[in-house]
Amino acid sequence: MSQPDHEAAVAAGLDGLDDLLEHRSRLAACLLLSRADHLSFSRLKQLLNETDGNLGAQLRKLEDAGYVSAKKAFQDRRPVTWYRLTAKGRAALLSHVDALRRLVGR
Amino acid sequence: MADLDRLQQDLGFVRRTVTREGPHSPAATYFLWSVLVLAGFALNDLRPMWVGYYWFTAGILGGVISAYLGVRDQRRRGEIDAAVGLQWTLHWAAFMGAVLLLVVMAVRGRIGWDAFGPMVLLLLALTYFHAGLYLSAPLRWIGLLAAAGYVVVLTVPSYPWTIVGVMLASACGAAGVGEWRSRVAA
C-alpha cells in the first residue's frame, strides 16, 4: 500500500471511532461495565484511578448519550450510585472496539 | 500520525485498567467452611452415625450462607455480577448432585458405606481443584490437600478423618486470612 493510500485508510478508520468513546476513561468505564451487571461509582473510581469530579463528568456524558444508566440506592445507610451499560452503550462499544481492531491491525 | 500514537497510548491505559485478577471468595466464606469442615470430618471418627445428618444440614445451610456472603461482598465491593454467582451455584450443585448419586449407589448396595466416604472425598478434591482453576485460585491448593487426604483416610489407622479435617480446615483458614489481608492492603 502506498503512503497516501495508507494515510487514507487510517483516516477512514479513525472516522469509524465513536466520538464519546475516544476518551480513554469513558472507553475504560464502558469496558468495565460490559463485564459486570452493575458497578458502583466508588468501584469505578477505584478501577479508573480518577477524581470524583472528573469521573462524575465522564459518566454524566455517557448517561446523557444513553450509553449508561444510573440508579441511586442506599447501602449500610450510605448513598450509592450503581451504573449499568445500556443496550445502546453495548452496541456503541462493540462498534468502537471493532473500529479500533481494524485500525490497530494496520 | 499523532492520532494513532494517542490512540495506542489510550489503549495501553485501557488494557491496564480492565486487566484484573479473577473472582475471589470473601474471607468470611473460607472461615465458615473451615469450621464446618473441621466439625464434619471429625464426626466421621467420633460419631459416624451423625455424619449424614450433619452434612445434609450443614451442607445446605453452609451453601445458603456462602451465597449470602458472596452477594454481600459484591455489594460492598461495588461490583455486582450475577453470572459469577450462577457459576458458583452450578459448580457446587453439580458436586451435591454427584454425592446424591453416590448415596443411591450405597443405598442399593453397589458400593459399601466404608468406600462411600473416600469416594466423596475424592470427588471433593476434584471439585475444589476445578474451582481453583476457573473460579478462585486458592481453592486449587485445597483441592490438592483433599486429594492427599484421600490417601490419609485409606492408610492412617487412627482418626484419619479428623486429621484430614484439620488439614482442610487449616487450609481454608489460611486462604481466608490471605483474602482478608489482600482486601485490607487494597
Side-chain angles (χ1 to χ4, degrees):
Chain A
M1 193 186 276
S2 66
Q3 187 66 11
D5 287 341
H6 175 69
E7 286 178 4
V10 168
L14 286 170
D15 282 343
L17 299 177
D18 186 301
D19 290 339
L20 209 56
L21 298 179
E22 280 193 74
H23 189 285
R24 56 167 65 174
S25 291
R26 291 197 288 262
L27 174 60
C30 286
L31 280 167
L32 290 168
L33 286 167
S34 72
R35 290 160 57 164
D37 293 340
H38 295 88
L39 288 175
S40 68
F41 181 89
S42 55
R43 183 66 175 152
L44 280 166
K45 182 180 151 191
Q46 183 187 24
L47 289 170
L48 294 169
N49 202 23
E50 285 275 13
T51 61
D52 282 0
N54 198 21
L55 179 61
Q58 304 310 332
L59 290 172
R60 211 165 303 116
K61 286 182 181 169
L62 290 171
E63 211 181 330
D64 290 343
Y67 285 12
V68 306
S69 62
K71 182 177 70 175
K72 293 188 193 309
F74 279 89
Q75 188 166 295
D76 300 330
R77 296 181 194 170
R78 285 187 294 182
V80 176
T81 306
W82 293 97
Y83 290 91
R84 180 187 166 92
L85 194 66
T86 62
K88 182 180 177 186
R90 197 172 294 272
L93 179 65
L94 285 172
S95 171
H96 184 80
V97 168
D98 278 343
L100 279 173
R101 279 206 186 100
R102 288 193 299 271
L103 202 52
V104 174
R106 290 200 162 83
Chain B
M1 294 292 107
D3 281 338
L4 263 185
D5 289 340
R6 182 188 58 81
L7 205 51
Q8 284 181 329
Q9 284 170 16
D10 287 352
L11 284 176
F13 164 80
V14 171
R15 189 183 303 117
R16 285 190 300 276
T17 302
V18 302
T19 302
R20 52 192 175 140
E21 59 204 23
H24 281 257
S25 297
T29 306
Y30 288 113
F31 296 140
L32 168 70
W33 286 102
S34 177
V35 170
L36 292 178
V37 159
L38 184 61
F41 275 62
L43 267 182
N44 243 330
D45 291 327
L46 305 173
R47 292 280 188 275
M49 295 303 291
W50 294 1
V51 168
Y53 301 113
Y54 176 83
W55 282 117
F56 182 77
T57 314
I60 293 172
L61 262 181
V64 169
I65 295 171
S66 296
Y68 164 76
L69 291 173
V71 168
R72 188 183 74 165
D73 184 63
Q74 280 197 351
R75 288 192 176 277
R76 283 182 175 179
R77 290 177 67 232
E79 192 167 339
I80 297 175
D81 191 349
V84 169
L86 184 62
Q87 275 182 296
W88 282 106
T89 302
L90 289 176
H91 182 84
W92 288 108
F95 168 74
M96 287 176 66
V99 169
L100 279 174
L101 290 175
L102 280 178
V103 168
V104 170
M105 285 182 72
V107 164
R108 293 179 71 119
R110 297 295 183 98
I111 55 170
W113 285 105
D114 56 341
F116 175 80
M119 289 176 79
V120 170
L121 185 56
L122 199 56
L123 197 61
L124 188 71
L126 195 64
T127 308
Y128 264 116
F129 189 73
H130 277 106
L133 290 180
Y134 303 115
L135 292 172
S136 180
L139 296 184
R140 91 180 65 147
W141 303 111
I142 297 175
L144 290 174
L145 259 185
Y150 171 79
V151 176
V152 168
V153 300
L154 292 182
T155 54
V156 174
S158 296
Y159 299 101
W161 288 99
T162 307
I163 292 170
V164 175
V166 169
M167 282 163 57
L168 294 179
S170 302
C172 286
V177 168
E179 185 62 38
W180 176 75
R181 277 188 176 159
S182 68
R183 296 286 178 95
V184 165

